[in-house]
Amino acid sequence: MIKWALIFAVIAIVAGILGFGGIAGAAAGIAKFLAILALIVFLVFLVLGFTVAKKIVD
């Protein structure tokens, strides 16, 4: 997911440099959404990892 966020960020930068404002804005929005989604998924798995590890140890 982070890979796709970086790809869309690069597309947004290149489109912005070339003057394609609409495409750059859309690509930046998609990159932002994917980055936030990846962060949320990471945090969920981090919490699950700690809770499962405590149950296994106890």
Side-chain angles (χ1 to χ4, degrees), residues 2-39:
I2 294 293
K3 177 181 170 183
W4 283 104
L6 290 174
I7 289 171
F8 276 107
V10 169
I11 290 172
I13 291 170
V14 171
I17 290 172
L18 295 176
F20 298 107
I23 295 172
I30 293 170
K32 188 176 183 181
F33 173 75
L34 288 175
I36 292 171
L37 186 64
L39 180 64

Side-chain angles (χ1 to χ4, degrees), residues 37-55:
L37 186 64
L39 180 64
I40 291 170
V41 169
F42 168 74
L43 291 175
V44 166
F45 281 127
L46 186 69
V47 169
L48 286 174
F50 281 124
T51 57
V52 170
K54 286 185 179 180
K55 288 182 181 178

